Amino acid sequence: MASEAKVSVRRYHLYINGEWVGSSSGRFIPVMDPSTEEIIAEVPDANEKDVNRAVAAAKAAFDSGAWHETTAQERGRILFRLAERVRKEAGMLAELEARNSGKPIVEAEYDINDVATCFEYYGGLATKVLGHVNPVPDNALSLSLREPIGVAAQIIPWNYPLLMAAWKLAPAIAAGCTCILKPAEQTPLTALEFANWLPEAGLPPGVVNIITGYGESAGAPLVLHPDVNKIAFTGSATVGKIIVKAAADTVKRVTLELGGKSPNIFFADADFESAIDGALFGVFINQGEVCSAGSRILVEKPIYTKFVEAMAAKAKTIRLGPPLERETKMGPLVSKDQYDRVRSYQEVGKKEAKLAAGGGRAASMPKGYYVEPTIFYDVDNSARIAQEEIFGPVAAVIPFANEAEAIRIANDTPYGLAAAVWSRDIFKTFRVVKAIRAGIVWVNHMQPTYVEAPWGGYKQSGFGRELGPSGIEEYLETKQVHINLNEQPIGWY
Ligand code: NAP
Ligand code: MG
């Protein structure tokens, strides 16, 4: 394999208890560059035995020793050191992320910057976790203490590999938890590189462990393990449902960040040029492999025809290319599986609606998992392409007659992750914002996401909130302490 590939195949290991170790099976999973279809690395195919080792390390680190004694100030400083290292190595990380996931290098650079910002944010927040005094009607001091939940298993997807790792690791470390992170099998490389810097940042062995492998063999045993106290999962709704059920037997705390089919709503009074850009950016950023993709584009009838035409014309100019070229605006999809999935939805769409742009493989790219940015219009909201998460550059444009109809269509989905509203009328806009059942609603924009603000879904898009102050809450328990201040005997008997 290594001899026939033009690129060198780097072999990685599992990171358990501060050491790089092989998997108990000795098997490896190939990791691809989706723009060349070549293998660029291989990572261990971990199984239950490896998971057990990692959980034992995480539990031991939580229960006693240096981490158990650590102060919030020390944890904050560790996070700042990690952020600094990420900033120093940003070029290497962005390049590796782009090569492994297929995302354009410029987008990967944004992601890596956000990774560092996330560690900085939770570095600062570590010392702002406050308990409180409860006003009980007795001569007693009633305290609420905040304590780390314990061992957290963190299972993440492939679309924002290191950023999803940061969203999970940073608040967990700030809270004082210990972690086992399982990256997606397609995109584990940046998280493994990142692990190299954990010891020098001051993290004792066992605080962060990284297990690579498939969901069924490495993810599932983590979810079942009795010593894991919390699961933080980002991924598909299908797997999210499996995880909630599997976590029930041991009553684990679970947070789920699942998919979406988010409406991007354009009223006729919106600024037209910004609207077209916003519609395209909302659905095609990161090749459409975005949980909050504005994949249902709802357009008010007076501007509908002009809108579809302008969108289609501009979509045809989107520059597809190798992820490492700075001019590239859209790279390949992450894997052959994802490519096949998106291609099949392009065919479903041709039967369900009218095609305005794209609809096939990107002919300009001879190799790699490239598909054309694709726009369907006259889509009925009950169509599969309007109800099912495609997770690729496929947009469904749906006309609406008035505000009430826009709201009805927007909410007519099992999901509730995100939405956007475009209009110059603040009163109408706010009525729509309030009526929409989603965890985030953008106004006159779509997609900006900030570490400082909460992120998560309504309905089947999940529960719990990452980022912002809520992000650390999900890693904390509350302990009530009652201190009797009466010196006399209780006097009951
Ligand atoms: P996925 O198939 O659900 O996988 C997510 C993670 O779960 C992967 O690490 C996967 O492992 C693992 N997994 C699979 N089966 C498992 C099981 N039975 N037990 C434990 N873990 C298991 O999702 P994906 O295809 O990687 O990512 C795309 C999905 O993520 C989309 O639905 C998207 O909307 C969602 N997403 C949501 C957000 C958000 O913030 N709401 C952000 C990004 C992505 P392997 O794949 O390695 O086998
Ligand atoms: Mg998967």
Side-chain angles (χ1 to χ4, degrees), residues 368-449:
Y369 307 127
Y370 291 89
V371 297
E372 294 175 304
T374 297
I375 300 170
F376 291 106
Y377 69 107
D378 286 2
V379 180
D380 189 281
N381 195 54
S382 64
R384 284 185 61 198
I385 57 164
Q387 287 293 317
E388 297 173 21
E389 187 182 46
I390 299 172
F391 224 60
V394 181
V397 188
I398 304 171
F400 68 86
N402 53 40
E403 184 183 326
E405 193 182 29
I407 292 167
R408 183 186 60 70
I409 296 172
N411 284 332
D412 183 13
T413 162
Y415 292 113
L417 184 59
V421 187
W422 299 70
S423 165
R424 286 195 175 96
D425 178 342
I426 182 96
F427 305 102
K428 175 172 65 184
T429 301
F430 235 77
R431 285 194 301 270
V432 177
V433 166
K434 286 174 81 175
I436 283 181
R437 305 273 300 146
I440 178 162
V441 185
W442 286 281
V443 175
N444 294 329
H445 210 326
M446 190 171 208
Q447 297 313 351
T449 302

Side-chain angles (χ1 to χ4, degrees), residues 155-160 164 167 182-186 213-216 218-221 223 233-240 242-243 256-260 289-292 338 389 391 415 417 455-457 461 466:
I155 301 174
I156 57 172
W158 42 255
N159 58 342
Y160 289 90
M164 291 296 110
W167 285 21
K182 195 203 87 64
E185 107 246 351
Q186 299 88 344
Y214 296 105
E216 295 74 17
V223 178
F233 174 80
T234 297
S236 61
T238 311
V239 175
I242 295 172
I243 285 181
L256 299 177
E257 306 278 345
L258 307 178
E289 296 166 316
V290 181
C291 51
S292 55
Q338 192 61 15
E389 187 182 46
F391 224 60
Y415 292 113
L417 184 59
W455 181 265
S461 290
E466 295 192 294

Side-chain angles (χ1 to χ4, degrees), residues 284 311-313 315-316 320 343 346-347 350 354-363 371-376 393-394:
F284 292 147
M311 237 191 115
K316 288 171 189 162
L320 272 82
R343 288 284 294 111
Q346 287 174 322
E347 298 310 313
K350 288 174 194 168
K354 294 178 188 147
L355 184 65
R361 197 201 134 68
V371 297
E372 294 175 304
T374 297
I375 300 170
F376 291 106
V394 181

Side-chain angles (χ1 to χ4, degrees), residues 76-77 79-80 118-129 174:
R77 283 194 289 270
L79 289 165
F80 286 125
C118 185
F119 284 108
E120 285 157 358
Y121 178 82
Y122 284 105
L125 202 61
T127 51
K128 283 107 198 146
V129 175

